[in-house]
Amino acid sequence: MKIDELKTAWNEIETPAKSAEEIKLMLQENRHPVLKGIRKQVIIELIGWSVFLACYYSMFDGGNKPLWMNVLLVVCVLFPLIHNLMSYGFTKYLIKGDTIRESVNNYLSNVKIYAGVSVISRALFASGLLLFLTYGIKFNEAKYFSLGVIVLLFLVQLGLLVNLWIKRLNKLNAIVTNLN
Amino acid sequence: MDETQFIGHIQQYQKIIHKICHLYRDSREDREDLFQEITFQLWKAFPSFKNQAKISTWIYRIALNTAVATFRKNKPAIDYVAELPDVHTTYQYNEYDTRHERLFLLLKKLDDSEKMIITLYLEDLSYQQIAEIVGINENYVGVKLNRIKTKIQTLNKSYEN
């Protein structure tokens, strides 16, 4: 297949046709595939963590723990929620420049910050929650083992998250590098 | 420009958006999502649209930018069909299918930045227009296109052998 044939084939591609009504629906924020997912996640997390924060004081002996520990737990729970809200605004505006190179470059800088916040907020959340739940516990061998397993699970999850962001950053980095 | 005019422009240029979606995404669902994402980003970027650029140039830029900057979902590509066929059928490929299948087979082997440049080239844009959209100089567009053409020819030969 020569380049001219490639061009002819490209120009002959038959594509589906979207109606004006279908396009109009696409302009609505509540129909956006990613934003819809983030919104759903934020709502579920908000409900879940509100229930947790309403119950933890009695269920997990919040009253027997120092005030700073209770504050720390609330802050650690708020971090991922704020991060999700941040991702909403982040996803909404992708275009950040007058050329593709400039836009991808700027976007990459933002993704780096966002990825850092994502990993830090997840780590803070996990460590804050663990600290709260284990505060005042008298550890024996079995409890240390359980704690070890939980920490390992959190670390694996964190590792997967780091890996995901590395892949995404590499993808954007490759575009920027190839255009320089 | 109001919403009706904007929708009119999308309808007029939707063919190129569909082609970009086909080039950058593999499953039908992902392509639909990308089409929606591009339309949404065009709408959001519209207030900053400067009239000195042609609307088509602007659409190419935002569409390609969105295609390379969005992260696809990590899930297997499954195309759901309404009904299962009663009997096994062998799809007969015609010349159109074969050529287009080969076209995308070759183009999908390129990296994201190469796909971007070849798309604009296949759309008959001049080196100057490609340079303006991508943000590189005209000479570099020429260099990149030569490399891409060579890569395509090599890939093509390997498929023919």
Side-chain angles (χ1 to χ4, degrees), chain A residues 47-68:
Chain A
I47 294 169
W49 288 116
S50 302
V51 170
F52 175 80
L53 290 175
C55 305
Y56 88 93
Y57 203 75
S58 51
M59 278 172 70
F60 299 105
D61 303 326
N64 298 334
K65 291 172 182 175
L67 179 68
W68 67 267

Side-chain angles (χ1 to χ4, degrees), chain B residues 7 10-11 15 18 24 57 79 123 133 145 154 159-160:
Chain B
I7 292 169
I10 297 294
Q11 279 195 294
K15 199 166 179 168
H18 277 297
Y24 281 90
T57 311
D79 275 347
E123 283 292 313
I133 291 171
L145 269 172
T154 313
Y159 284 126
E160 278 170 1

Side-chain angles (χ1 to χ4, degrees), chain B residues 73-101:
Chain B
K73 295 171 199 162
N74 285 324
K75 58 181 185 185
I78 304 168
D79 275 347
Y80 293 99
V81 288
E83 288 171 20
L84 283 173
D86 291 333
V87 287
H88 170 75
T89 52
T90 309
Y91 184 75
Q92 294 295 313
Y93 279 86
N94 58 32
E95 197 199 340
Y96 173 89
D97 291 325
T98 315
R99 278 201 304 144
H100 289 85
E101 195 183 313

Side-chain angles (χ1 to χ4, degrees), chain A residues 1 12 18 31 103 171, chain B residues 14 36 65 68 99 156:
Chain A
M1 199 173 210
E12 282 174 356
K18 301 267 184 213
R31 307 274 301 198
S103 175
K171 177 186 179 271
Chain B
Q14 63 172 304
Q36 189 165 354
N65 191 156
V68 297
R99 278 201 304 144
N156 193 36

Side-chain angles (χ1 to χ4, degrees), chain A residues 1 7 9-10 12-14 16 18 24 31-32 92 94 97-98 100-101 103 171 178-180, chain B residues 3 14-15 18-19 32 36-37 41 61 65 68 96 99-100 123-124 133-135 144 156:
Chain A
M1 199 173 210
K7 221 172 199 176
W10 178 264
E12 282 174 356
I13 293 170
E14 285 165 15
K18 301 267 184 213
K24 193 176 178 179
R31 307 274 301 198
H32 188 286
K92 208 166 148 183
L94 281 178
D98 289 336
I100 296 175
R101 191 168 74 136
S103 175
K171 177 186 179 271
N178 290 334
L179 292 179
N180 278 334
Chain B
E3 193 182 271
Q14 63 172 304
K15 199 166 179 168
H18 277 297
K19 287 182 196 175
E32 280 295 315
Q36 189 165 354
E37 179 74 63
Q41 291 301 331
R61 177 168 68 81
N65 191 156
V68 297
Y96 173 89
R99 278 201 304 144
H100 289 85
E123 283 292 313
D124 267 334
I133 291 171
V134 179
K144 288 288 278 183
N156 193 36

